[in-house]
Amino acid sequence: MWRKVLENKQAKILWDFQIQADKMVVANQPDIVVVDKHQETVVVMDVAIPSDSNIRKEEHEKLEKYQGLKEEMERMWGMKATVVPVVIGTLGATPRPLVEDPSLKEGGTAQEGEEESFFDICVCICLLSGPSSLSPVLATVCGRDPPGSIHSSGDSMFLHFSSDSIISGRGFNASYSKGCGGLLHVDRGSVSTPRYPQNYSPHLNCSWHVMVTPGFRVSATFQSPFQVQGYGTQCSSGDYLEVRNGPDASSPLLGTRLCGSSPPPLLQTTDNHLFVHFVSDASNEGNGFRLTFEAHSQACGGFIELDDNDPPGYITSPNYPENYPQNIDCIWVVTVPNGESVRIDFEDDFYIEPSSSCIHDYLELRDGPTLNAAVVSRLCGNTRPSTQRSTGSSMLLRFRTDTSVTHRGFKAKFSIATCGGTFIGQSGEIHSPGFPGSNYPDGSICEWSLVGPTGHYLTLRFGTFTLQSTPGCTADYVEIREYDASGHVLGKHCGSALPASVDTSDSFAFVKFVSDSSGNAAGFSLAFEASVEACGGELNAPSGTISSPNYPNLYPHSRVCRWELRVQAGRRITLTIDDLRLEGSGTSCAFDYVDVLNGLADDAPRLQRFCGTVAEGTQVHSSGNTMAIVFYTDASISNGGFMASYSSEEPAGKSITLEVAHGLQSSS
């Protein structure tokens, strides 16, 4: 079994480790976290092996998934954090990673450079569209698989090769040639005819695909001079330029074909893709064009249609993640095919001016395409909302602000609804598809993540329950787990007997509903509610008090409470037991117990384990400024619990108290 924490003077590596944050962060357990203590940087890595066709989608999802954790790390730890998705297709394909602000020290310029081929690169080559290190990044490539051709947007390209001090390789061999067109996967850049503003060449057929961050639109602005030698109605003869609202030549035109000598007005896409196509004939060339593009989040309203094969999209408040403007009224209508419904999931930060009944600034969702449709919810405040759904094939979203306070706003992902989703809050209710109006369909797989307030447990209680009954629940069933899909199973149910309520040990639960290909029933409804009392948490004050849930009355069964104490550097923590009455189990403390750990890591040394009764005033000391206390209870006998206080008056030192076979030993 590998260790979850590896640490020396230079770095710390956390493997599959849950990061504790001050605010609710749903994705807080990446595969690997690397902390560079000298550089004061953090790298968050998460691994995925999707099909080769989904590697870019998976990469974007990883970046979005851990954005909240990245921001919390930077705020809490005071270090620069970076999210690095490690995505490898099942057949070995990898996405081309992008670098936004490379620190370039030296390099070369390939004038008129267009195509590059690489093999066996040691660390990385960074290619920039322009003559210097300040030019927009085209791509960063590494590894052993040669990428496809890479094109600059103009007549120069800057290459920067970097290697570290550890592993070397055979290097690379690249050829370059003149050309035009290519993929530009950046949020800001330019596209121009070769040699602009000098005359372009005859017989050109150039296509550029611009792709910016999902959830943003593309603004395209033409510079002067603009001279495309085309003639006739809608530029039917000679040279022409087409700008399309989408990723390829089949996308709709933004306006009409362009030619002549007057720069076109600003053009704007409806999503994050722009396609530019330029053709020149055999004679009479002109200066050409230069188009600068930029991703922006000023989109406010619109009509969005999703087909069955379309990927999810994003709606954001104007300027997001910066503050939205005052006095705006934005309306979006999302429509999906008949017989399906709309699903809205909120991601990253959510902050709309809070007020009673959301009367100032608000986001309103309506169950239909008009303002007369029933209200699904009206949202404001700084708590990220749960998944929202329509009952029909359309949903209207209206974002209104007044003339005073503004905040960051929202980012909402829209998609065709399948059952399942994430529900966040003190309480809520989920149900099987079609409930209560009709039986659930065959072939359903629904997964819900339930998230309550940190430090509270959840109680899950079925209101109605009628499923197909089979021995061992092998056909249709509802399964409840702790935490997530790999957590401890709390119950698996089928048939028509109402299952008993169940409590989780923490603030997370995972519910999965499965129906097979034959036989169905009315389904179920399931409510969840967070406990009133908190259990565990992070304490940063120089002194304080902790106690078991419901103290001094009987503590609940099946709980795991963890308190993490952190005091001023250079001090150590003294924990004093004021009262401790737990289920007794001799020296083994196998049933209910309190563990005191010398640090916050999962594998921190255990200073002491308490159970049964302990004399008032018993003390335990840490060696440094951190200590963790974990309270565990089993499913049976309970007692009065415990209360303990902590202080940090003593300086940190080497002398600590460690548990040994049958007693205590003081080491120094």
Side-chain angles (χ1 to χ4, degrees):
M1 181 67 181
W2 56 81
R3 295 173 58 188
K4 280 184 169 287
V5 181
L6 295 173
E7 185 171 11
N8 59 22
K9 293 181 180 180
Q10 287 77 37
K12 177 189 288 187
I13 300 176
L14 308 177
W15 174 266
D16 193 29
F17 190 89
Q18 190 175 73
I19 306 298
Q20 297 296 323
D22 291 340
K23 71 174 187 178
M24 182 77 69
V25 177
V26 176
N28 65 344
Q29 192 167 349
D31 291 329
I32 304 170
V33 175
V34 180
V35 181
D36 188 322
K37 298 178 181 179
H38 288 179
Q39 299 295 326
E40 294 188 342
T41 58
V42 182
V43 178
V44 177
M45 289 184 280
D46 208 61
V47 181
I49 307 178
S51 63
D52 283 17
S53 62
N54 286 331
I55 55 175
R56 288 196 178 277
K57 177 183 176 183
E58 187 70 32
E59 182 182 40
H60 284 303
E61 289 178 351
K62 294 288 185 186
L63 289 169
E64 293 171 358
K65 177 179 179 180
Y66 289 104
Q67 181 64 26
L69 179 61
K70 168 184 176 293
E71 293 175 357
E72 278 296 284
M73 284 178 163
E74 290 180 335
R75 185 184 65 80
M76 294 188 304
W77 297 357
M79 296 183 177
K80 176 65 176 176
T82 305
V83 179
V84 179
V86 181
V87 181
I88 304 172
T90 53
L91 299 179
T94 58
R96 186 177 303 161
L98 302 176
V99 175
E100 295 181 359
D101 296 302
S103 300
L104 303 177
K105 297 180 179 178
E106 58 185 67
T109 301
Q111 293 294 328
E112 308 264 335
E114 305 292 342
E115 298 182 4
E116 304 292 336
S117 63
F118 299 87
F119 64 93
D120 197 20
I121 297 176
C122 168
V123 177
C124 68
I125 291 281
C126 186
L127 300 97
L128 293 87
S129 182
S132 74
S133 62
L134 301 178
S135 304
V137 174
L138 290 172
T140 300
V141 295
C142 58
R144 294 179 178 272
D145 296 324
S149 298
I150 300 171
H151 302 267
S152 68
S153 60
D155 58 0
S156 59
M157 180 184 290
F158 185 93
L159 287 79
H160 171 73
F161 172 64
S162 64
S163 63
D164 59 20
S165 60
I166 304 174
I167 301 174
S168 62
R170 294 172 58 196
F172 71 96
N173 180 20
S175 62
Y176 66 90
S177 62
K178 299 178 181 180
C180 59
L183 170 66
L184 289 84
H185 192 171
V186 289
D187 282 351
R188 178 180 300 177
S190 64
V191 169
S192 64
T193 48
R195 298 201 303 264
Y196 178 89
Q198 300 177 38
N199 284 6
Y200 51 80
S201 303
H203 303 297
L204 291 178
N205 190 339
C206 312
S207 296
W208 296 267
H209 174 197
V210 175
M211 181 167 55
V212 301
T213 300
F216 289 74
R217 297 187 184 187
V218 187
S219 291
T221 305
F222 288 90
Q223 298 182 6
S224 294
F226 176 92
Q227 188 179 41
V228 176
Q229 301 285 43
Y231 312 95
T233 304
Q234 296 186 351
C235 305
S236 56
S237 302
D239 309 338
Y240 65 86
L241 173 68
E242 293 179 336
V243 182
R244 293 185 176 270
N245 186 24
D248 53 40
S250 65
S251 304
L253 278 170
L254 286 171
T256 61
R257 274 188 178 182
L258 303 173
C259 60
S261 57
S262 298
L266 181 142
L267 299 176
Q268 207 169 79
T269 66
T270 58
D271 65 4
N272 66 316
H273 294 277
L274 176 75
F275 186 80
V276 180
H277 184 208
F278 175 70
V279 173
S280 65
D281 61 10
S283 61
N284 197 22
E285 292 77 41
N287 300 120
F289 72 92
R290 170 164 287 170
L291 174 157
T292 60
F293 64 87
E294 184 174 1
H296 72 107
S297 52
Q298 293 292 337
C300 181
F303 293 87
I304 302 165
E305 292 187 0
L306 276 180
D307 292 325
D308 285 323
N309 295 322
D310 289 343
Y314 288 88
I315 293 171
T316 63
S317 52
N319 296 335
Y320 187 89
E322 304 298 328
N323 284 12
Y324 51 78
Q326 299 173 346
N327 199 29
I328 57 172
D329 190 355
C330 310
I331 296 176
W332 297 266
V333 177
V334 181
T335 302
V336 299
N338 285 335
E340 298 181 295
S341 58
V342 180
R343 170 173 169 166
I344 302 292
D345 291 283
F346 292 91
E347 298 186 356
D348 302 334
D349 287 343
F350 180 95
Y351 199 1
I352 298 173
E353 180 187 5
S355 62
S356 177
S357 302
C358 299
I359 60 174
H360 299 310
D361 300 350
Y362 62 84
L363 176 65
E364 186 175 75
L365 289 75
R366 291 185 175 266
D367 195 14
T370 69
L371 292 171
N372 297 324
V375 174
V376 175
S377 58
R378 178 180 277 203
L379 307 171
C380 63
N382 59 2
T383 299
R384 181 149 47 93
S386 300
T387 300
Q388 309 286 318
R389 288 183 177 80
S390 67
T391 59
S393 60
S394 295
M395 178 180 282
L396 181 143
L397 295 85
R398 185 178 194 180
F399 180 52
R400 299 195 70 174
T401 68
D402 60 16
T403 58
S404 58
V405 179
T406 68
H407 291 289
R408 178 165 289 192
F410 69 92
K411 178 182 179 181
K413 181 172 72 174
F414 57 85
S415 60
I416 298 175
T418 57
C419 54
T422 300
F423 287 76
I424 304 170
Q426 185 73 30
S427 61
E429 182 173 312
I430 62 176
H431 55 76
S432 53
F435 182 90
S438 60
N439 288 5
Y440 54 80
D442 295 331
S444 295
I445 300 179
C446 311
E447 296 178 339
W448 294 270
S449 293
L450 311 181
V451 183
T454 301
H456 297 251
Y457 65 89
L458 301 179
T459 297
L460 284 69
R461 184 176 292 106
F462 287 95
T464 303
F465 192 88
T466 306
L467 270 61
Q468 181 185 7
S469 180
T470 55
C473 296
T474 56
D476 303 350
Y477 63 87
V478 175
E479 184 178 74
I480 302 174
R481 290 178 177 263
E482 296 265 22
Y483 295 103
D484 53 29
S486 60
H488 171 67
V489 177
L490 297 176
K492 185 176 183 180
H493 310 289
C494 61
S496 57
L498 191 68
S501 62
V502 64
D503 292 344
T504 65
S505 62
D506 205 341
S507 57
F508 302 92
F510 179 84
V511 180
K512 183 175 184 178
F513 169 62
V514 173
S515 65
D516 65 4
S517 59
S518 63
N520 52 31
F524 69 92
S525 64
L526 174 65
F528 72 92
E529 185 172 9
S531 62
V532 175
E533 75 275 9
C535 171
E538 296 181 0
L539 302 173
N540 299 313
S543 60
T545 302
I546 64 174
S547 61
S548 54
N550 210 31
Y551 177 86
N553 300 310
L554 297 181
Y555 50 78
H557 300 311
S558 302
R559 293 287 174 270
V560 179
C561 307
R562 180 184 173 95
W563 292 267
E564 296 189 348
L565 313 182
R566 185 188 298 273
V567 300
Q568 180 182 345
R571 298 285 181 177
R572 73 172 182 174
I573 299 171
T574 298
L575 182 73
T576 302
I577 303 298
D578 301 316
D579 180 26
L580 192 144
R581 291 170 288 123
L582 309 181
E583 179 185 4
S585 52
T587 58
S588 66
C589 291
F591 305 136
D592 302 345
Y593 57 82
V594 172
D595 270 348
V596 184
L597 307 178
N598 190 39
L600 303 182
D602 281 357
D603 61 349
R606 188 168 68 197
L607 297 173
Q608 182 60 282
R609 173 171 288 183
F610 295 114
C611 63
T613 58
V614 173
E616 179 182 356
T618 300
Q619 291 188 335
V620 184
H621 303 276
S622 68
S623 62
N625 69 323
T626 58
M627 176 186 284
I629 298 99
V630 181
F631 176 49
Y632 173 86
T633 71
D634 63 11
S636 58
I637 301 169
S638 65
N639 207 323
F642 76 94
M643 174 177 284
S645 56
Y646 74 91
S647 61
S648 55
E649 298 172 355
E650 299 180 8
K654 295 182 179 180
S655 179
I656 60 174
T657 304
L658 294 173
E659 183 183 10
V660 293
H662 293 290
L664 304 175
Q665 173 180 306
S666 178
S667 64
S668 60

